[in-house]
Amino acid sequence: MSFFGAPVFFLAAALFALGIYGFMTRRNLIVVLMSIELMLNAANLTFLAAARGTAQANEASSYAVFVILVAAAEVAVGLALVLAVFRLKRDSDIDAARDLRG
Amino acid sequence: MELLFFLLFAGLAIAGAVATVWMRYVVHSAFALMGTFLGVAGLYVLLGADFLAITQILIYVGGILVLILFGIMLTPPDRTERNAKRVIGFSASLVAIALFLAVQIGSVVRWAEKSNLEAPKATAAPIGRELLRPDGYLIPFELVSVVLLVALIGSVFIARRRKAVRVDDSSTAAILAERGTLQQKAGA
């Protein structure tokens, strides 16, 4: 069972790094949102791996549920913003959202 | 056996994440993201968090991914996708890995004492009790429903199609003036 310690942490680190990489390099707003989801998943995975085997394992699960719910709210608002940007600029590139008004 | 499943799910998650970041088309990215979500759900099962695994599949694959696919449908295919800021991306990823490893080394003592774990039990019932206990997470649990409602209303408000008013329209001023007089009439 030793592989639940370090390997999960390494995996979560890799997921988070890939999320950051996508967040920094991709220009499409929807892919940027997906990268944020990757990072949230990595954080949740780390959290659960750290709580594994402790007395608070179930509490960690409840916290992770809250993180997932906030992620759902975030992606709903984020996609609405992408649609609003697209409607205004006819473009879903991240540089389309450069200026704040109009 | 467990190691086999761990490798399977970890490979699925990593391969999905790599494909999400590198796929040229947004739809391909979205479907690769499904692989990551499923892999992470499998890892949750291996970590003894069965309730969270089901939640992950229901909300991420069933909700968020479908929402993302709708978003992709409503925006055009992006043919001018450029991979800019690659250096910044790489360096940020390295920093992230370093941070994670720092956390890992910081907690290395804690894993050592967790080497003898009992078999995982079903977690849905304790989590449900924890979420609905008044001195547990009842208030955050109810608040999160308010947050979700606000997010729902907000996203509908942001994404709704506005009638007639265009920012670069020369008649905007006239429309706004007319609205002002109407509001004054309503007020009077």
Side-chain angles (χ1 to χ4, degrees):
Chain A
M1 281 237 190
S2 61
F3 56 88
F4 282 121
V8 175
F9 273 97
F10 279 124
L11 182 79
L15 276 185
F16 194 89
L18 281 166
I20 278 201
Y21 181 75
F23 183 81
M24 296 302 250
T25 57
R26 296 298 296 260
R27 312 300 293 238
N28 190 299
L29 281 167
I30 296 178
V31 182
V32 169
L33 275 180
M34 290 193 233
S35 304
I36 296 175
E37 295 304 320
L38 274 185
M39 289 191 265
L40 285 167
N41 261 291
N44 257 349
L45 199 55
T46 311
F47 197 51
L48 276 203
R52 159 95 175 149
T54 63
Q56 287 88 22
N58 285 336
E59 273 184 68
S61 278
S62 349
Y63 270 108
V65 166
F66 287 128
V67 173
I68 289 179
L69 290 178
V70 170
E74 169 256 325
V75 87
V77 176
L79 278 172
L81 284 173
V82 171
L83 286 187
V85 167
F86 168 69
R87 204 162 278 150
L88 208 60
K89 299 282 189 179
R90 297 279 129 200
D91 196 1
S92 58
D93 192 282
I94 198 163
D95 286 335
R98 181 170 277 167
D99 29 39
L100 283 176
R101 289 176 60 97
Chain B
M1 192 64 188
E2 233 169 354
L3 181 65
L4 189 74
F5 273 108
F6 174 77
L7 289 178
L8 179 74
F9 290 135
L12 190 61
I14 287 293
V18 169
T20 304
V21 176
W22 276 351
M23 281 288 182
R24 192 175 163 70
Y25 292 100
V26 186
V27 183
H28 295 175
S29 285
F31 281 110
L33 195 62
M34 183 174 77
T36 302
F37 288 159
L38 291 177
V40 172
L43 288 173
Y44 286 159
V45 172
L46 289 182
L47 286 170
D50 55 346
F51 174 73
L52 200 64
I54 297 299
T55 312
Q56 165 96 358
I57 289 175
L58 275 181
I59 295 184
Y60 269 113
V61 181
I64 292 178
L65 208 61
V66 172
L67 209 59
I68 285 176
L69 284 174
F70 268 107
I72 293 169
M73 278 186 345
L74 292 172
T75 53
D78 194 359
R79 303 205 191 288
T80 58
E81 169 91 28
R82 294 158 292 162
N83 266 345
K85 294 190 217 150
R86 214 169 238 185
V87 181
I88 304 178
F90 264 123
S91 35
S93 315
L94 289 181
V95 169
I97 287 187
L99 277 177
F100 264 78
L101 293 190
V103 171
Q104 182 193 3
I105 290 164
S107 58
V108 77
V109 184
R110 281 166 175 263
W111 310 335
E113 56 196 43
K114 283 193 294 180
S115 50
N116 49 353
L117 294 169
E118 71 275 30
K121 298 187 206 71
T123 60
I127 289 172
R129 244 175 261 124
E130 193 67 37
L131 283 178
L132 290 176
R133 204 155 46 89
D135 52 342
Y137 295 98
L138 180 61
I139 291 171
F141 182 72
E142 296 295 340
L143 277 180
V144 108
S145 63
V146 178
V147 168
L148 280 177
L149 181 67
V150 170
L152 209 67
I153 295 172
S155 48
V156 168
F157 178 77
I158 293 169
R160 98 205 129 109
R161 211 177 281 278
R162 286 173 177 77
K163 271 190 210 157
V165 181
R166 290 288 300 260
V167 176
D168 54 347
D169 198 335
S170 57
S171 62
T172 307
I175 293 170
L176 289 177
E178 194 186 353
R179 272 194 194 164
T181 52
L182 283 177
Q183 278 170 357
Q184 276 174 0
K185 272 183 202 167

